[in-house]
Amino acid sequence: MIVAFSISPTAADETGGVSEAVAAAVRVVRESGLPNETNAMFTNIEGEWDEVMAVVKQAVEVVAAVSPRVGLVLKADIRPGYDGQLTAKVERVERALER
């Protein structure tokens, strides 16, 4: 499965920013060892249901440690029997664009 998620702390730092809290969540994802990528809006992670959800939960917990309230947006593509789709889906679109 591929999960695209975004975690938003409600409490900002002294400058009004949330990048440190978000970076802590992304660090959890990157250290998980699962295929992942981060863009301007979401972090995508690929793996089996239980392992992906455990990483999302841990990422929420590190943000919750610095914010009394946390928002989570999550979208999942559940397709049993398919691996490597984090890059394969994009490659298929790129090939179609070359035509």
Side-chain angles (χ1 to χ4, degrees), residues 6-44:
S6 175
I7 299 173
S8 303
T10 58
D13 64 21
E14 61 279 351
T15 68
V18 296
S19 60
E20 290 297 322
V22 172
V26 172
R27 188 173 295 112
V28 166
V29 174
R30 291 184 180 174
E31 290 176 354
S32 74
L34 296 175
N36 67 85
E37 63 184 19
T38 299
N39 58 52
M41 298 291 293
F42 288 93
T43 294
N44 302 316

Side-chain angles (χ1 to χ4, degrees), residues 29-98:
V29 174
R30 291 184 180 174
E31 290 176 354
S32 74
L34 296 175
N36 67 85
E37 63 184 19
T38 299
N39 58 52
M41 298 291 293
F42 288 93
T43 294
N44 302 316
I45 185 169
E46 183 174 15
E48 296 299 318
W49 182 278
D50 290 340
E51 60 189 0
V52 168
M53 290 304 169
V55 173
V56 171
K57 181 180 180 186
Q58 186 180 0
V60 168
E61 289 171 346
V62 300
V63 173
V66 297
S67 179
R69 190 173 187 178
V70 179
L72 172 66
V73 175
L74 186 142
K75 181 177 180 180
D77 180 0
I78 303 161
R79 194 174 184 194
Y82 286 82
D83 294 331
Q85 295 304 296
L86 194 63
T87 54
K89 290 174 83 169
V90 176
E91 290 167 359
R92 287 191 295 273
V93 171
E94 292 296 336
R95 281 195 304 274
L97 287 169
E98 292 173 357

